[in-house]
Amino acid sequence: MSYREDKRLALTATELSGLTGEALKAKAREVLAMGMHGLCFSPYEEGQKPGEHISESQIRRRMALMQPCTKWIRSFSCTEGNEKIPGIAKEFGIKTMVGAWLGDDPEINKEEVDNLILLAKEGLVDIAAVGNEVLLRGDLTEEELLGFIHKVKSAVPDLPVGYVDAYYEFVDHPRITEACDVILANCYPFWEGCHLDYSILYMKDMFQRALRAGNGKKVIVSETGWPSEGSSTNGAHPSFENFLKYFINTQKWAAEDEIEVFYFSSFDESWKVGAEGDVGAFWGLWDKDEKLKF
C-alpha cells in the first residue's frame, strides 16, 4: 500500500454523500475560508445588465466581500465601468485576469482592446484575456481573433496573453492555441449534461484535453461552476445540494492537483436568464442581494 491520506481524491462526489443540510453548508464555509485561486467577478446588481454603466461603489462593495476568499479575480470587459475593476482589485491586494469583451461590433472591439492595453501598461493586469467564447458564439473569424491577440501581445510583450473559450475550441483551433501564452479553458460538466457524481472526473478529462492541445503550455480553468436552481440539462441537475457539492469537490481537486481555477461565479446575476434560461440567474456563491448562500 503506497498512498498518503491527503492525496486521496475520489473520482466521484461520494465522499460527501453522507452530508446534507447544515453539515454540507458548514463544509462549504470551511472550504471557502481556506481560500481559492480565483473567482469570476460578477459586477451587475439586480436590474442591471451588460450595456449599462457600473459604478465604482458597487465594484468596491463586492470586492470587499470577495477579498478574504480569493487570490485572483477575473473581469470580462474593459468598458462601461468595468475598466475600474482591475485598479480596485489591486487596492484590495488581489491579482487580476482582465478580459476584453469581443463581439460583432468593430467599434466596441477596438475600445475594449485599447482599454485592455492601457490597463496593462499601467501595471493593473496580471493576465490579459483577449475575448471570451468568441469562436463558440461565432462572433469573429479565427483570423479576426488572431489579429486582436497579436495586437495585445505586441503592445505588452512581457505580459501573459491568452484567450478564453470552451476547452474543445483549443483542440479545434490550433492556430489560436499556438498564439496564446496561456490556455484559458472553460470547463462545464453541467452544460454537457454530466451527472454530479461524475462531474469532477469529467472536468479532469476536459482539462487534460486542453493540456494536450496546448502542447506544454500552462492551462488555467477560466470558468467552472454549478447552478443552485433551475432546469436540468440531461443528467445534470441544479439544486442547492449539488451546487455545494460541486463547489467543495472542485476546490478539493484544484488544491490537490495544483490546478488554477477561476470559479464561476461570485454573485447571482438575474440578467443571465436571457442567454442561459432559468439556470442563468443562479451560478453565484453570493445571491443577487450579496448574501452568501451558505
Side-chain angles (χ1 to χ4, degrees):
M1 184 181 299
S2 57
Y3 69 86
R4 278 172 38 192
E5 185 66 29
D6 65 336
K7 288 296 182 183
R8 295 180 66 185
L9 179 64
L11 295 180
T12 71
T14 52
E15 75 272 12
L16 299 175
S17 59
L19 297 182
T20 57
E22 289 303 317
L24 199 55
K25 290 167 69 173
K27 180 65 175 177
R29 289 194 296 270
E30 177 186 321
V31 170
L32 186 66
M34 292 173 63
M36 64 185 78
H37 174 78
L39 267 171
C40 295
F41 187 64
S42 314
Y44 297 104
E45 297 175 341
E46 187 71 0
Q48 291 181 325
K49 61 183 183 299
E52 299 179 22
H53 191 87
I54 61 172
S55 69
E56 185 172 329
S57 62
Q58 70 193 79
I59 296 170
R60 288 186 179 280
R61 189 178 64 249
R62 292 191 167 192
M63 197 73 69
L65 292 171
M66 296 169 60
Q67 190 271 338
C69 310
T70 189
K71 300 173 185 174
W72 288 71
I73 60 102
R74 177 187 166 205
S75 62
F76 291 78
S77 170
C78 291
T79 62
E80 298 171 346
N82 290 280
E83 67 275 12
K84 293 184 172 66
I85 294 172
I88 294 171
K90 291 296 184 182
E91 292 178 25
F92 280 84
I94 302 174
K95 290 187 175 182
T96 60
M97 179 191 293
V98 181
W101 186 268
L102 302 179
D104 56 9
D105 187 317
E107 291 185 11
I108 294 176
N109 290 346
K110 183 180 185 304
E111 184 181 6
E112 286 276 351
V113 170
D114 287 348
N115 284 357
L116 174 58
I117 291 170
L118 180 62
L119 290 167
K121 288 184 174 180
E122 292 175 349
L124 301 177
V125 179
D126 293 294
I127 298 174
V130 186
N132 179 71
E133 296 185 343
V134 174
L135 297 174
L136 184 66
R137 295 192 306 272
D139 286 347
L140 295 176
T141 67
E142 184 177 279
E143 206 65 44
E144 289 170 327
L145 178 57
L146 282 170
F148 286 120
I149 293 172
H150 287 305
K151 180 178 180 178
V152 176
K153 290 181 70 172
S154 296
V156 282
D158 296 327
L159 186 72
V161 176
Y163 163 67
V164 179
D165 214 327
Y167 66 98
Y168 48 79
E169 296 291 350
F170 295 99
V171 178
D172 296 343
H173 298 275
R175 292 175 67 209
I176 299 295
T177 306
E178 178 61 29
C180 292
D181 300 317
V182 58
I183 309 303
L184 307 174
N186 290 350
C187 300
Y188 282 105
F190 176 84
W191 284 124
E192 297 191 20
C194 181
H195 192 280
L196 179 82
D197 284 352
Y198 307 100
S199 57
I200 298 302
L201 178 59
Y202 197 175
M203 183 160 60
K204 290 173 77 170
D205 181 62
M206 293 172 166
F207 181 81
Q208 288 298 321
R209 292 188 188 196
L211 203 61
R212 289 193 295 271
N215 196 28
K217 293 184 178 182
K218 184 176 185 176
V219 175
I220 296 173
V221 177
S222 41
E223 289 181 35
T224 193
W226 198 278
S228 57
E229 297 181 40
S231 301
S232 298
T233 299
N234 297 325
H237 305 300
S239 71
F240 185 65
E241 185 173 293
N242 285 353
F243 154 78
L244 292 176
K245 288 181 177 181
Y246 189 79
F247 170 68
I248 293 166
N249 277 296
T250 297
Q251 298 307 316
K252 187 172 188 284
W253 168 63
E256 294 192 352
D257 283 13
E258 299 181 338
I259 308 299
E260 296 181 8
V261 173
F262 285 80
Y263 200 80
F264 189 92
S265 190
S266 46
F267 301 90
D268 282 350
E269 293 183 305
S270 297
W271 70 269
K272 292 178 68 68
V273 297
E276 299 179 2
D278 57 0
V279 296
F282 301 108
W283 293 85
L285 299 180
W286 287 266
D287 66 18
K288 63 183 178 61
D289 299 315
E290 300 174 0
K291 181 181 178 182
L292 187 67
K293 291 181 180 178
F294 48 87

